Amino acid sequence: QVQLAESGGGLVQPGGSLRLSCALSRRVFSINRMAWYRQAPGKEREFVAAIRGGRTNYADSVRGRFTVSRDSENTVYLAMNSLKPEDTAVYYCNLDNYCAGSICTSGDWWGQGTQVTVSS
């Protein structure tokens, strides 16, 4: 099994930037879809961005401001620019499939979340 760990959250002023990271607890050969979600107080968790292979997709509310990427170690990043107060939330990463050697495992893994607060 694999565990996910987010990092990089914090307090930032409106218009500022942050970069979140989502690291796996073990080395794997490949990952399928890794996504970012967020949950603001009193609201349901919502989709933010995802990366699958070389393809990315974004929620309308963040498109053009956020960028999702992945490195060779399968750590996934979310670069957030032009942050707004409404971006304040706990951000979670989510993985649906990974391959270690010749064995691929499907599931629904979530990290513990990292708090992003946008405020002056």
Side-chain angles (χ1 to χ4, degrees):
Q1 293 293 305
V2 67
Q3 294 179 322
L4 309 180
E6 303 96 338
S7 61
L11 173 64
V12 63
Q13 293 185 343
S17 300
L18 283 174
R19 189 177 79 154
L20 306 183
S21 300
C22 177
L24 277 63
S25 59
R26 54 175 289 198
R27 290 179 65 90
V28 299
F29 177 71
S30 66
I31 60 174
N32 187 33
R33 178 180 182 267
M34 184 80 88
W36 288 94
Y37 290 79
R38 66 187 182 186
Q39 187 167 20
K43 295 187 177 181
E44 293 188 354
R45 192 171 296 187
E46 65 176 0
F47 170 78
V48 175
I51 184 166
R52 174 182 283 159
R55 296 190 172 189
T56 58
N57 64 298
Y58 300 91
D60 289 343
S61 59
V62 307
R63 187 175 292 111
R65 299 188 298 122
F66 291 11
T67 303
V68 60
S69 61
R70 185 178 71 186
D71 67 15
S72 60
E73 299 295 319
N74 291 313
T75 296
V76 176
Y77 303 95
L78 184 67
M80 306 185 294
N81 298 312
S82 302
L83 283 162
K84 305 175 182 180
E86 51 264 44
D87 294 318
T88 296
V90 178
Y91 284 71
Y92 301 89
C93 57
N94 171 254
L95 175 66
D96 69 346
N97 178 280
Y98 70 92
C99 295
S102 61
I103 300 175
C104 296
T105 305
S106 294
D108 186 28
W109 295 276
W110 293 87
Q112 81 288 349
T114 186
Q115 176 71 47
V116 172
T117 302
V118 185
S119 175
S120 55

